[in-house]
Amino acid sequence: KLCGYLQKLSGKGPLRGFRSRWFVFDPRRCYLYYFKGPQEPLPLGHLDIASACFSYHQPEAGAAAAVDEPAAFEVHSPGGAVTVLKAATRQDMTYWLQELQQKRWEYCNNLDAAKRDSRTSPAPSDFSKGLVAKDNPGIILSQNTSAERARNILAVETSPTDLVGEQAASQPAPVQASAINFSLKQWSTEIKNSMSSLRKGNNENRKSVFYTTEEWELLDPTPKDLEDSMALEEKRKHLAEGNKGLTSSAFPFDFGRIPHKARRPLKDMIGSSKNRTSSDSSPTEWCSGNGNRLVSELQLKYQSQQEELEKLKKELLSQKELVRLLQQTVRSSQYDKYFANRLCEGVPKDTLELLHQKDDQILGLNNQLEKLNLEKDSLQQEVKNLKCKVGELNERLGMLMETIQAKDEVIMKLSRQLSECEDSTSSQSGAINSPTASCTNKELQELDRLKDNLQGYKTQNKFLNKEILELSALRRNAEAREREWQAKYTSLEAKLCQIESKYLILLQEMKTPVCSEDQSPAREVITQLLEDALKAEPSEQPEQAFFKPHLVSEYDIYGFQTVPEDDDEEKLVAKSRALDLRSLSLSENREISTGVKWENYLASTMNREMMRCVELKNLIRSGIPHEHRSKMWKWCVSLHVKKFKDSAVPGYFQTLLQKSQEKPNPASKQIELDLLRTLPNNKHYSSPTSEGIQKLRNVLLAFSWRNPDIGYCQGLNRLVAIALLYLEQEDAFWCLVTIVEVFMPRDYYTKTLLGSQVDQRVFKDLMSEKLPRLHAHFEQYKVDYTLITFNWFLVVFVDSVVSDILFKIWDSFLYEGPKVIFRFALALFKYKEEEILKLQDSMSIFKYLRYFTRTILDARKLTAIAFGDLNPFPLRQIRNRRTYHLEKVRLELTELEAIREDFLRERETCVEKRDLISDDEEDS
């Protein structure tokens, strides 16, 4: 998986800069998605690599970059958009470029196979499993051998570092190089950010807990602070009790500003930080003399006096506030007394209480407003103090920087003196050789630098040459693809003109016949049209087949035969149905939008596991795309049988398979008889040598050993055959376990088929509720439609509907469960309800029911009926009806068994009945 950290240049104006992003390459669409981090579910955007080109700049002469330094490259997209990406090292940049080039080359070369007729040749995909994935790998154009040889020569092979690959997700994002450069402006910005984050704890009236940056422990209050806070708390309680009638419970507030001195104020923290800074930096200031130390001590004393003054001011303000509130309380009590004695005579008591409440609320709101104004003033004063502190810190930083600069000058001066002493010593020993040696060293350094630059330019030249070569080859492939599509379009247009000409002749003859019926050219035209329609397509080479207008192939993408070989009439109907399906798929744009939704959803699950959600359920109901069906079916099956898999031993399926080969199973004989009768119209199961036959045998035998109570039942073979089209053997085995042991009730596939009979009665109840007109129509003509629907439920519509609709039903069935069968069974009847109501006799109705499901081709309309028109559809209702009918069916089966035993007993005892034997017994 090609993924890792890269820095992307984004933003505008002064905010433009590199930001670290997590990049993931998606081979399905040749997109490079980028996320905020490896754990983010939704991507921030993507780059289309298939239509992009790459470049990077070699550092200028004299500025050759080291291998460990960051290196940037550019991705040029159609329309002139340029995306600048920066890798942590030059090695990572080279690796990303070579991998993106290779992915683009592979994707574009396989584009012809992927963009071909998806109904006859599915796109090759690494995500597909099962028999369908092995069916047709697609047609890949013959590549230019000279271009391949040149690509191999120009390739620059580089191995990735730890910042590329899935293991990079567990590492922190690389720090930007610009963040390492230190400056006073950045330092002041960091201080401002830290102050703003701590500001919310500076207000004494807010309940905050402060932690030191070094020890991260709770600061305990001093005894004096505790005594002060307790005294103020007692005053507050006393005032609250004295003014109990003046405050409303709807407006709780305090009468005084109670400072929480138990917590350490922010100024003390800043002062302690300064003390720590001064103590830590004392070795640095040692070279500047004792004068600086004296100045710093005076500054600290001045600051402590200022802090004491601020504390006194705050206490004075709190006392003033307390006096003001007490005066306000006295005035309000006097007003209440006057109001109660003079103005409230004859006023109802309820009105007086309401007025008192309103007065209390008004008073409370006024007090709260004044309190907020005081807080605002204190916050403004706090901001001024913080600005002063920041200015002081900046001044202190300037002093420190000047000290460091002075020390650096001293070090440089001492270094120069040392080098001069060494030069004077060496000049005495070799005064002649010294100029030559220094000159030689400079020349060697310049030579090494030039060699590095030359190597860098060679690497860049090879990369750009390879990029030009690949883009030229891809452009030629695109032009060839366009010419091929043009030729195919011309051929289709010519064939259409021929067919229209024949139809016009036929219509003209039908309108105004010139000759007699036997000699009419209409008969010849009709015969010719039928022969052309039923004529088998000749086998051709893939290159020739690409140009041929090939509307209906012999097999669809699932391996089912589209046109039967026996009856000409049935063959004509099947080919007409296949053409309608083809026309429907070409005229709809819904498949494209559904595919885009699936790609977006799967892109959001690159960094996380898939989970059940409403979005996923709606996507599955619209149909899983062919290239993602294997992955989604396997995920759905694993979701339902997780508890079975967890409890099973490792290699459980292989153990059952080996057991079936070593010991004979009672069900093996019936399994062998049904193998070739499973799906004879599917090429994967049409002959004993087909690949699907052996896989089908293995899964059925393994399940017969796992569940000996069922063993094997006719119908299980078709379920497994459909599952094997998209799943491997072991996954198909667990799919069968999901259907038989998780979805369906018990005794659904036993000898009595008890659960299947119960579901038919439940379905009758639903028919009478959801489709009452159709149900009454069937009752009027005494048509038992459960004879048709019984097989729908037993094998989940296999061989009952066209393949496209079948697999969309299975998509929802494997995710939601058996309720989907009831939905689609009702939807099939509702789809053709009007046509059935027009039939007026039982024979025609029953004959129509036997084949009407294969005339339904619009999967979108059928899905809308199943999941929209039939709502509400609670599962609880189905379970309750199953329980009700289960008891009735069990009683009926018990009565039938008793009647059978009585008949056998009577036949054994009665001599006359014992002599009655059947024709079969007589022949034996």
Side-chain angles (χ1 to χ4, degrees):
K1 194 173 184 179
L2 181 59
C3 56
Y5 284 107
L6 288 174
Q7 293 181 18
K8 181 177 180 293
L9 183 63
S10 57
K12 295 181 179 180
L15 299 178
R16 185 170 177 81
F18 284 98
R19 292 173 175 82
S20 181
R21 296 288 181 256
W22 176 258
F23 283 79
V24 180
F25 180 77
D26 182 7
R28 294 186 297 263
R29 305 181 68 183
C30 200
Y31 279 2
L32 186 64
Y33 290 94
Y34 54 92
F35 301 80
K36 193 173 183 180
Q39 305 303 326
E40 292 295 322
L42 296 176
L44 300 176
H46 68 272
L47 303 176
D48 188 0
I49 301 301
S51 57
C53 60
F54 316 105
S55 65
Y56 72 93
H57 298 287
Q58 179 68 14
E60 298 179 359
V67 178
D68 296 336
E69 292 184 0
F73 62 96
E74 298 175 351
V75 180
H76 299 262
S77 302
V82 179
T83 304
V84 182
L85 304 177
K86 183 189 288 186
T89 62
R90 185 162 292 274
Q91 181 181 355
D92 285 338
M93 180 198 73
T94 308
Y95 180 78
W96 273 101
L97 286 174
Q98 79 176 20
E99 288 299 313
L100 291 177
Q101 273 188 335
Q102 183 65 25
K103 301 293 185 184
R104 181 187 61 188
W105 180 259
E106 293 173 356
Y107 179 83
C108 292
N109 278 330
N110 293 334
L111 193 62
D112 297 276
K115 295 297 183 183
R116 286 198 63 212
D117 184 2
S118 59
R119 308 193 60 79
T120 60
S121 173
S125 174
D126 296 335
F127 305 95
S128 296
K129 303 293 181 184
L131 299 173
V132 172
K134 302 180 179 65
D135 183 19
N136 193 344
I139 300 172
I140 300 177
L141 294 181
S142 57
Q143 298 177 0
N144 192 340
T145 55
S146 60
E148 282 291 332
R149 194 182 308 112
R151 286 185 72 254
N152 295 331
I153 294 173
L154 296 174
V156 181
E157 296 296 335
T158 307
S159 58
T161 63
D162 294 338
L163 294 176
V164 182
E166 295 182 357
Q167 72 279 358
S170 59
Q171 300 183 6
V175 182
Q176 300 180 16
S178 59
I180 302 174
N181 299 329
F182 177 80
S183 67
L184 291 176
K185 184 178 180 180
Q186 291 175 352
W187 198 355
S188 64
T189 304
E190 290 297 328
I191 292 174
K192 289 178 182 178
N193 292 336
S194 61
M195 291 299 179
S196 65
S197 64
L198 291 173
R199 187 183 64 78
K200 61 183 180 181
N202 191 32
N203 191 355
E204 295 177 345
N205 206 26
R206 295 176 183 169
K207 296 182 179 180
S208 303
V209 179
F210 294 107
Y211 294 87
T212 63
T213 56
E214 294 178 351
E215 301 173 357
W216 288 94
E217 61 182 6
L218 183 65
L219 296 175
D220 296 326
T222 61
K224 184 179 179 182
D225 292 338
L226 283 175
E227 291 177 2
D228 294 341
S229 70
M230 290 174 65
L232 289 172
E233 185 69 23
E234 290 179 359
K235 289 181 181 179
R236 186 186 66 80
K237 289 181 179 178
H238 180 70
L239 288 173
E241 292 176 358
N243 298 283
K244 200 177 215 178
L246 299 177
T247 57
S248 174
S249 60
F251 297 90
F253 59 93
D254 296 334
F255 280 107
R257 185 179 175 86
I258 310 301
H260 290 271
K261 291 187 177 180
R263 271 77 177 179
R264 192 172 181 180
L266 180 60
K267 293 177 180 179
D268 293 346
M269 293 181 64
I270 296 174
S272 64
S273 174
K274 288 179 178 180
N275 295 333
R276 284 197 301 271
T277 306
S278 62
S279 63
D280 292 342
S281 61
S282 58
T284 307
E285 296 176 351
W286 175 79
C287 62
S288 62
N290 296 327
N292 290 338
R293 189 183 298 113
L294 181 60
V295 172
S296 63
E297 289 177 358
L298 291 174
Q299 287 179 351
L300 288 175
K301 289 181 180 179
Y302 175 73
Q303 289 175 2
S304 62
Q305 292 176 359
Q306 288 292 110
E307 290 175 1
E308 292 294 332
L309 182 61
E310 290 293 333
K311 289 180 181 178
L312 292 174
K313 286 181 179 180
K314 286 188 178 180
E315 290 180 2
L316 180 61
L317 289 174
S318 64
Q319 295 297 329
K320 287 182 178 180
E321 175 68 14
L322 184 60
V323 170
R324 187 185 62 79
L325 290 174
L326 288 173
Q327 291 175 351
Q328 214 171 30
T329 304
V330 170
R331 284 198 302 269
S332 64
S333 61
Q334 291 176 353
Y335 171 75
D336 289 343
K337 184 178 180 181
Y338 175 80
F339 184 78
N341 294 333
R342 300 285 182 181
L343 302 176
C344 298
E345 297 179 357
V347 180
K349 187 176 181 180
D350 296 340
T351 307
L352 287 176
E353 291 179 356
L354 181 61
L355 290 174
H356 278 295
Q357 290 180 1
K358 295 300 181 182
D359 290 337
D360 294 343
Q361 292 178 2
I362 292 170
L363 182 61
L365 287 172
N366 290 330
N367 292 334
Q368 191 173 8
L369 179 61
E370 292 177 358
K371 186 177 179 181
L372 291 175
N373 289 331
L374 288 174
E375 288 187 358
K376 174 186 172 185
D377 295 337
S378 64
L379 289 175
Q380 289 177 349
Q381 185 64 30
E382 181 184 348
V383 170
K384 292 179 181 179
N385 295 335
L386 288 176
K387 287 182 178 178
C388 294
K389 295 295 181 183
V390 171
E392 293 173 3
L393 288 173
N394 286 332
E395 292 176 0
R396 189 167 188 81
L397 290 175
M399 294 171 58
L400 290 174
M401 294 301 295
E402 290 175 359
T403 304
I404 293 171
Q405 186 176 1
K407 291 178 64 178
D408 290 339
E409 291 176 358
V410 172
I411 292 171
M412 293 296 294
K413 184 177 179 181
L414 293 174
S415 299
R416 283 196 298 270
Q417 292 177 359
L418 180 61
S419 62
E420 288 175 0
C421 292
E422 291 177 353
D423 292 340
S424 62
T425 305
S426 60
S427 63
Q428 295 177 1
S429 60
I432 300 174
N433 296 330
S434 58
T436 307
S438 61
C439 182
T440 304
N441 290 333
K442 291 181 180 179
E443 290 178 353
L444 289 175
Q445 291 177 0
E446 181 69 16
L447 183 61
D448 291 339
R449 186 181 61 80
L450 291 175
K451 285 183 178 179
D452 292 340
N453 286 335
L454 180 61
Q455 184 62 33
Y457 282 119
K458 283 184 177 180
T459 304
Q460 184 187 23
N461 189 29
K462 288 176 67 175
F463 169 77
L464 293 177
N465 285 334
K466 184 182 177 185
E467 182 73 8
I468 293 171
L469 177 68
E470 287 191 0
L471 292 175
S472 300
L474 295 176
R475 180 179 59 82
R476 287 194 298 271
N477 288 347
E479 291 175 352
R481 192 161 52 244
E482 184 179 359
R483 289 193 299 269
E484 289 160 0
W485 284 115
Q486 185 66 31
K488 187 171 185 178
Y489 167 75
T490 305
S491 178
L492 283 171
E493 190 174 13
K495 184 174 182 180
L496 178 62
C497 292
Q498 295 174 5
I499 294 175
E500 285 184 353
S501 174
K502 293 177 182 178
Y503 275 115
L504 288 175
I505 296 173
L506 178 61
L507 292 174
Q508 180 65 24
E509 180 63 25
M510 296 292 292
K511 182 179 179 182
T512 56
V514 179
C515 305
S516 62
E517 185 176 352
D518 295 336
Q519 299 176 353
S520 173
R523 300 179 63 87
E524 298 179 2
V525 173
I526 293 173
T527 304
Q528 185 64 35
L529 287 173
L530 288 175
E531 289 179 357
D532 292 342
L534 299 176
K535 186 167 56 177
E537 303 288 351
S539 59
E540 300 178 3
Q541 297 298 324
E543 294 81 1
Q544 298 174 351
F546 191 82
F547 296 99
K548 184 169 180 59
H550 195 65
L551 293 178
V552 178
S553 62
E554 185 180 0
Y555 297 95
D556 59 12
I557 60 174
Y558 315 105
F560 288 100
Q561 196 173 22
T562 55
V563 180
E565 299 177 353
D566 302 330
D567 188 9
D568 285 347
E569 184 177 353
E570 180 64 25
K571 187 185 296 185
L572 188 64
V573 173
K575 190 155 188 178
S576 173
R577 184 166 58 240
L579 285 170
D580 289 339
L581 272 172
R582 176 66 173 156
S583 173
L584 192 65
S585 65
L586 289 175
S587 60
E588 284 187 351
N589 293 325
R590 180 179 174 84
E591 295 295 331
I592 300 175
S593 61
T594 303
V596 171
K597 291 179 182 178
W598 271 101
E599 295 295 344
N600 293 337
Y601 177 79
L602 293 176
S604 69
T605 61
M606 285 184 178
N607 299 325
R608 62 183 175 90
E609 294 291 334
M610 274 193 296
M611 299 177 63
R612 297 176 72 103
C613 60
V614 177
E615 179 187 6
L616 180 59
K617 181 172 74 172
N618 292 333
L619 279 176
I620 291 177
R621 284 181 173 183
S622 64
I624 303 174
H626 170 78
E627 60 270 19
H628 304 309
R629 186 167 278 137
S630 295
K631 175 182 177 181
M632 294 305 303
W633 278 20
K634 183 177 180 179
W635 178 81
C636 290
V637 170
S638 301
L639 192 69
H640 295 299
V641 295
K642 187 177 185 301
K643 60 178 181 180
F644 293 116
K645 282 189 172 182
D646 293 342
S647 61
V649 297
Y652 177 66
F653 174 73
Q654 297 298 330
T655 304
L656 293 176
L657 199 58
Q658 186 177 1
K659 187 178 181 180
S660 66
Q661 295 173 355
E662 294 174 354
K663 298 180 181 180
N665 191 292
S668 59
K669 184 177 180 181
Q670 187 62 42
I671 289 174
E672 290 296 328
L673 289 175
D674 288 346
L675 286 178
L676 291 177
R677 295 184 295 189
T678 302
L679 293 177
N681 59 336
N682 191 292
K683 63 180 179 181
H684 301 294
Y685 306 100
S686 58
S687 66
T689 58
S690 299
E691 184 181 3
I693 293 296
Q694 182 58 41
K695 292 184 176 182
L696 181 62
R697 180 187 292 111
N698 293 340
V699 175
L700 291 174
L701 288 174
F703 182 80
S704 65
W705 281 106
R706 170 185 168 81
N707 194 332
D709 186 31
I710 295 177
Y712 172 73
C713 171
Q714 287 184 345
L716 298 182
N717 55 335
R718 295 188 177 186
L719 298 176
V720 176
I722 295 298
L724 282 171
L725 292 178
Y726 281 99
L727 300 173
E728 296 297 336
Q729 291 186 74
E730 186 172 356
D731 296 325
F733 166 77
W734 288 113
C735 180
L736 184 61
V737 172
T738 301
I739 296 173
V740 177
E741 300 182 14
V742 179
F743 286 169
M744 299 304 190
R746 294 186 61 184
D747 300 329
Y748 211 89
Y749 294 98
T750 54
K751 294 181 180 179
T752 59
L753 299 176
L754 178 63
S756 302
Q757 297 182 53
V758 169
D759 270 2
Q760 294 310 303
R761 301 196 180 193
V762 174
F763 182 66
K764 272 191 172 182
D765 293 345
L766 293 174
M767 279 283 288
S768 63
E769 177 184 341
K770 301 288 184 180
L771 303 174
R773 286 198 307 154
L774 194 59
H775 178 74
H777 188 68
F778 287 143
E779 292 294 325
Q780 178 184 354
Y781 292 100
K782 294 181 174 54
V783 175
D784 187 6
Y785 52 87
T786 59
L787 297 175
I788 303 295
T789 59
F790 186 85
N791 197 52
W792 296 359
F793 284 73
L794 197 66
V795 296
V796 195
F797 298 101
V798 178
D799 272 349
S800 297
V801 294
V802 295
S803 54
D804 277 352
I805 294 178
L806 171 67
F807 285 95
K808 282 182 169 58
I809 294 175
W810 271 65
D811 293 339
S812 301
F813 171 67
L814 291 179
Y815 182 75
E816 300 185 46
K819 186 173 71 170
V820 171
I821 305 179
F822 289 96
R823 280 186 177 274
F824 276 97
L826 290 169
L828 288 171
F829 280 112
K830 187 172 180 61
Y831 194 104
K832 294 289 186 178
E833 182 178 14
E834 298 301 327
E835 286 80 351
I836 297 174
L837 291 175
K838 294 176 182 178
L839 303 175
Q840 299 299 323
D841 62 274
S842 59
M843 289 298 295
S844 60
I845 293 174
F846 196 79
K847 184 178 179 181
Y848 183 75
L849 292 181
R850 293 183 63 182
Y851 73 87
F852 84 100
T853 55
R854 303 197 67 85
T855 64
I856 298 175
L857 307 178
D858 193 346
R860 181 175 61 175
K861 180 180 176 182
L862 183 67
T863 304
I865 295 173
F867 295 111
D869 298 351
L870 297 177
N871 286 334
F873 210 91
L875 182 61
R876 182 178 64 256
Q877 180 185 7
I878 295 177
R879 289 173 178 170
N880 294 338
R881 291 179 186 273
R882 275 176 169 171
T883 305
Y884 170 74
H885 287 292
L886 180 62
E887 297 299 325
K888 294 183 65 176
V889 173
R890 278 179 176 170
L891 288 175
E892 292 175 4
L893 289 177
T894 303
E895 293 176 359
L896 288 174
E897 184 64 24
I899 293 173
R900 190 180 70 85
E901 290 178 357
D902 292 342
F903 173 76
L904 292 176
R905 194 182 305 110
E906 183 180 357
R907 192 178 69 173
E908 291 295 329
T909 56
C910 182
V911 179
E912 295 179 357
K913 291 186 177 180
R914 191 188 306 168
D915 295 337
L916 296 175
I917 57 175
S918 63
D919 295 338
D920 296 336
E921 292 175 347
E922 186 176 359
D923 293 339
S924 61

